[in-house]
Amino acid sequence: MAEISRNSTGLSGEYFVAAELLRRGFSVGITMGNAKAIDILAEKDDQQFVIQVKSIYKKKNIGWPLMKDKINLNHYYIFVNLNADVMSLPDFFICTGKEAFEKCKQYKTRGIVDLSTLNNGNFTNRWDKLKIDNLQ
């Protein structure tokens, strides 16, 4: 099976995250365009959330590319593994900005958030983290 394009991977992840948020009662707006700092604006119970979505589409992967100096501690980061098998549902890993910063390994020319560091009960499907109190 052919891999989907990088742009389609990003958009697919954003739409899956938006759908999950809508299912959970959030109002959701997706921003469009390339190289944007905010992917999704969400609101629930008069609280607003800024969400950055990072998506991968690989059967075997090491993680999501992310430069440490681009992480905003006041945003949420939702890492999505779309999974290579299109019949499988995506996996979601929810982080505060601080958690994303702590999990990001920065190298000289690239940064990465390793899947193995998020693939646990602290991050997997932790939609309950989306609370303003968690960013302080």
Side-chain angles (χ1 to χ4, degrees):
M1 173 178 16
E3 239 181 71
I4 62 176
S5 72
R6 180 180 177 152
N7 190 44
S8 294
T9 299
L11 282 173
S12 295
E14 290 171 27
Y15 285 125
F16 274 115
V17 169
E20 288 295 321
L21 290 168
L22 287 166
R23 277 184 355 112
R24 289 166 168 77
F26 287 81
S27 297
V28 176
I30 299 176
T31 64
M32 301 306 267
N34 292 330
K36 51 196 173 21
I38 299 170
D39 292 321
I40 294 176
L41 297 169
E43 183 177 355
K44 185 175 182 181
D45 300 328
D46 294 324
Q47 294 184 337
Q48 297 176 346
F49 306 90
V50 177
I51 299 169
Q52 184 69 31
V53 178
K54 296 293 180 187
S55 304
I56 53 175
Y57 180 78
K58 297 176 182 173
K59 190 167 191 154
K60 292 183 179 179
N61 59 72
I62 54 173
W64 297 265
L66 180 63
M67 297 296 283
K68 204 165 199 164
D69 64 350
K70 300 290 184 192
I71 296 173
N72 187 321
L73 300 180
N74 295 313
H75 294 182
Y76 280 92
Y77 288 77
I78 300 181
F79 298 93
V80 182
N81 183 357
L82 296 170
N83 294 309
D85 176 7
V86 294
M87 299 308 291
S88 296
L89 293 174
D91 297 317
F92 301 99
F93 307 93
I94 293 87
C95 295
T96 64
K98 182 180 178 195
E99 290 170 332
F101 188 85
E102 290 169 354
K103 294 296 181 184
C104 184
K105 293 180 190 173
Q106 185 62 51
Y107 301 98
K108 190 171 188 174
T109 59
R110 66 183 181 92
I112 193 159
V113 175
D114 193 319
L115 171 64
S116 66
T117 67
L118 298 183
N119 198 9
N120 61 63
N122 292 327
F123 303 101
T124 305
N125 290 318
R126 287 294 308 275
W127 300 99
D128 60 297
K129 284 188 181 184
L130 293 172
K131 295 179 183 163
I132 294 299
D133 297 346
N134 287 336
L135 293 178
Q136 297 171 358

